[in-house]
Amino acid sequence: MSLPSTQYACVANVDVEGKDLSSLEQVPVVLPEADQILVKTEAYAANPTDWKHIVLKWADQGCIVGTDASGTVAAVGSNVTNFKVGDYVSVFIHGAYWETPQCGAFAQFCLADQHLAIKYKKPLKHVAPASGAEHIPGGPVDSFESAASMSLGVVTVSLSFSHFLKLSPDVPAPAGKIFLVWGGATATGILAIQIAKLLGWRVIATASGKHHDSLKKLGAEACFNYGEANVIEQIKKYGGEDIVRALDTVGSDTTIQQTHDAVADSATALVDNLLFKKASEVKNLKANVTITASLSYVAIGLPVNLRGGLVIQTSEELVKDFRNFMKWSVERVSSGDIKHAPIKILPGGLKAANAAMNLLKEGKTSGEKLVFVAEEY
Ligand SMILES: NC(=O)c1ccc[n+]([C@@H]2O[C@H](COP(=O)([O-])OP(=O)(O)OC[C@H]3O[C@@H](n4cnc5c(N)ncnc54)[C@H](OP(=O)(O)O)[C@@H]3O)[C@@H](O)[C@H]2O)c1
């Protein structure tokens, strides 16, 4: 296909006072580097990290925003062998990041690392019109809309499970042992429940009561309401010393403490979280518990500098662990074994990016991903 020289993209407004988080502007179409693919986008999903990068000034003014998109491959870099022009894909991109201003998902064309992309064996189609709100129930990925919702979450869980929680699709889960997902109804938690179950773990989760039935259908054998005062007591009574792995997908001071408190008291237990919480922040740290924090962006193999002294390192071992696991995850997504979360479609094409980021910023999402669809400009 012949590529245009310019395109529309949502770019960060770092000076947010009185402005929208992003503006739709014309920017150049940049050709892929050796390990990148260029994707002609069809749908986009919003994530909390999108607005955080702008508000916390991890973006510079004008960086392209967005982490999740789906579409078809429009060009490939010289090292790319697993993707060809025309393939149906979803991609995870470190959008709104000051070091790579040209990389962001909320654009008509986006650049993505080949190792953080998911290729779909069957063609994807559109199921939502470009305008008009619509809900898509969770299920196997079969559309651009559902594919857009997958990549960041699948990369995040693959990195957390493989490198930090020391799990492998090649090693059977220990009999009877339990994996706790704190925040089972987060977009990440919905994937973590399914993946832990597919690995053979008994899975339990915390979530609001309205999500318990749907999370049980995805593989959780028991769910606990995190709003109840004795939730830790309930979880410990249920799982006791068998709870030896946990992922805190919420990552607040409270939830990392709760997750730590809920796992085994003497059996070796690994607890990972997604928001930089360290063991030193946990009160009365149990000697049998290891606390880690994973950041999906480092799966690409480069350190991430979130300014203000927050530099997250990576390693060859981390990348190797991630890529092995990610291969397995991609197969399971493509086969439909790993299902997408329920989706809410926002109208307005790329212009919906601001509405989506605001809803996430205000904590107005519950058990669903916000997706918007490409339009002509
Ligand atoms: N480190 C990384 O690489 C990485 C990757 C992805 C996301 N994240 C971060 O992880 C967090 C979650 O992201 P997401 O997109 O998965 O979330 P999300 O879908 O936006 O999360 C919304 C859900 O959070 C749940 N929740 C809120 N407070 C809770 C609590 N105290 N206990 C249990 N559940 C609670 C709510 O559950 P109910 O509806 O049940 O009330 C709600 O459904 C964000 O802060 C995000 O920035 C980090």
Side-chain angles (χ1 to χ4, degrees):
M1 83 185 283
S2 70
L3 294 170
S5 57
T6 61
Q7 58 162 334
Y8 280 98
C10 297
V11 303
N13 283 329
V14 175
D15 176 15
V16 288
E17 280 305 310
K19 280 190 188 169
D20 287 334
L21 288 165
S22 71
S23 306
L24 195 58
E25 288 182 9
Q26 266 201 314
V27 300
V29 173
V30 177
L31 290 177
E33 291 178 8
D35 276 308
Q36 289 179 326
I37 57 176
L38 181 72
V39 176
K40 180 182 182 302
T41 57
E42 296 287 345
Y44 318 92
N47 292 288
T49 192
D50 299 328
W51 67 261
K52 290 180 189 176
H53 269 69
I54 301 170
V55 170
L56 299 174
K57 297 195 179 359
W58 299 338
D60 282 338
Q61 182 66 32
C63 285
I64 302 178
V65 179
T67 33
D68 261 332
S70 64
T72 53
V73 175
V76 298
S78 55
N79 284 348
V80 174
T81 52
N82 191 33
F83 295 89
K84 61 181 187 321
V85 171
D87 281 347
Y88 292 86
V89 293
S90 62
V91 289
F92 163 49
I93 299 167
H94 195 169
Y97 179 44
W98 64 277
E99 284 206 89
T100 50
Q102 74 283 10
C103 293
F106 301 165
Q108 291 177 301
F109 290 86
C110 63
L111 291 167
D113 186 274
Q114 60 168 331
H115 302 290
L116 274 55
I118 299 176
K119 180 160 79 175
Y120 296 89
K121 289 178 186 149
K122 292 185 192 151
L124 302 173
K125 58 189 185 305
H126 278 291
V127 293
S131 59
E134 191 173 316
H135 286 270
I136 302 173
V141 174
D142 61 355
S143 63
F144 287 117
E145 289 81 356
S146 51
S149 74
M150 295 303 283
S151 292
L152 166 58
V154 171
V155 168
T156 300
V157 176
S158 298
L159 176 63
S160 167
F161 278 30
S162 62
H163 187 69
F164 294 96
L165 294 175
K166 309 290 175 205
L167 304 182
S168 161
D170 306 323
V171 179
K177 297 298 175 195
I178 295 177
F179 191 114
L180 166 65
V181 179
W182 198 284
T186 62
T188 316
I190 286 170
L191 295 172
I193 288 171
Q194 299 179 69
I195 293 176
K197 180 73 180 171
L198 284 169
L199 293 177
W201 286 79
R202 295 174 59 201
V203 184
I204 61 174
T206 63
S208 302
K210 65 182 175 185
H211 296 306
H212 288 191
D213 284 349
S214 62
L215 299 184
K216 283 180 184 169
K217 282 188 191 131
L218 291 176
E221 64 178 41
C223 292
F224 302 86
N225 193 331
Y226 63 83
E228 289 179 11
N230 67 344
V231 62
I232 303 299
E233 208 180 298
Q234 292 178 40
I235 295 172
K236 290 186 87 63
K237 190 171 171 202
Y238 183 87
E241 288 302 297
D242 286 330
I243 310 174
V244 293
R245 290 290 188 285
L247 175 61
D248 170 15
T249 67
V250 180
S252 69
D253 291 347
T254 308
T255 59
I256 190 65
Q257 186 70 49
Q258 289 173 310
T259 311
H260 162 271
D261 293 351
V263 299
D265 291 329
S266 54
T268 301
L270 307 184
V271 173
D272 191 34
N273 80 92
L274 302 180
L275 274 185
F276 315 117
K277 297 295 170 204
K278 300 189 214 82
S280 56
E281 294 172 72
V282 171
K283 293 183 202 115
N284 303 319
L285 183 68
K286 296 184 265 195
N288 61 308
V289 178
T290 303
I291 307 274
T292 52
S294 55
L295 181 72
S296 47
Y297 300 115
V298 299
I300 206 167
L302 294 169
V304 168
N305 182 348
L306 297 179
R307 290 172 162 158
L310 194 56
V311 179
I312 322 302
Q313 297 299 340
T314 187
S315 67
E316 278 180 26
E317 190 197 350
L318 178 149
V319 172
K320 189 167 159 254
D321 291 345
F322 162 73
R323 285 189 187 168
N324 283 341
F325 201 106
M326 184 69 186
K327 263 188 214 144
W328 176 90
S329 301
V330 167
E331 282 296 317
R332 296 300 174 289
V333 171
S334 196
S335 67
D337 292 337
I338 300 175
K339 298 174 179 61
H340 67 85
I343 286 169
K344 180 178 183 180
I345 302 285
L346 300 183
L350 282 170
K351 288 182 187 147
N354 287 325
M357 288 192 282
N358 284 330
L359 286 168
L360 288 165
K361 189 163 168 274
E362 291 157 14
K364 288 187 179 159
T365 54
S366 177
E368 63 185 3
K369 288 285 277 200
L370 301 175
V371 169
F372 42 104
V373 180
E375 280 183 1
E376 294 299 322
Y377 297 98

